[in-house]
Amino acid sequence: MHAIVSTIGTAGDGLPMSGLSRRLAARAPRATMALHDHFRAATESAGLGFASLGTEAEWRTVYEDARWYDPRRGIGFFFEKALVDAVTRLIDVVAAT
């Protein structure tokens, strides 16, 4: 079995999934986290496999943009700038395993 855990977002999303992934790694021959490169070092230092859903620059394009924090339009911005590409890349990660 190969467990793939993914989230698209900030450390508030990634860190809890890291704990889940470590638990899965204890039970599965392989455990991989699929995240943006922003989280690569933390993921690998936790002893988990890593699959990229986008570059550090792509991550920063979303999370350092004031539009992300707009309470009415932020989610639309997130979908347009982050979610579609990341899900497409996640499909590729899953297909490659």
Side-chain angles (χ1 to χ4, degrees):
M1 177 173 78
H2 181 187
I4 300 172
V5 176
S6 181
T7 186
I8 303 162
T10 64
D13 304 314
L15 290 176
M17 292 298 107
S18 176
L20 173 64
S21 296
R22 285 193 303 271
R23 297 289 301 250
L24 287 169
R27 297 181 176 172
R30 291 176 61 203
T32 300
M33 289 194 69
L35 306 160
H36 277 83
D37 289 352
H38 180 79
F39 300 102
R40 179 184 295 270
T43 301
E44 291 175 345
S45 70
L48 299 165
F50 180 85
S52 179
L53 296 183
T55 67
E56 173 77 20
E58 290 168 329
W59 185 87
R60 289 187 181 285
T61 296
V62 174
Y63 296 101
E64 292 181 355
D65 191 304
R67 292 176 288 180
W68 164 239
Y69 301 95
D70 184 301
R72 287 185 280 181
R73 292 183 225 119
I75 195 68
F77 173 75
F78 174 75
F79 272 79
E80 177 186 336
K81 298 293 184 184
L83 191 61
V84 174
D85 286 342
V87 169
T88 300
R89 291 174 182 157
L90 178 58
I91 291 167
D92 292 341
V93 167
V94 171
T97 61

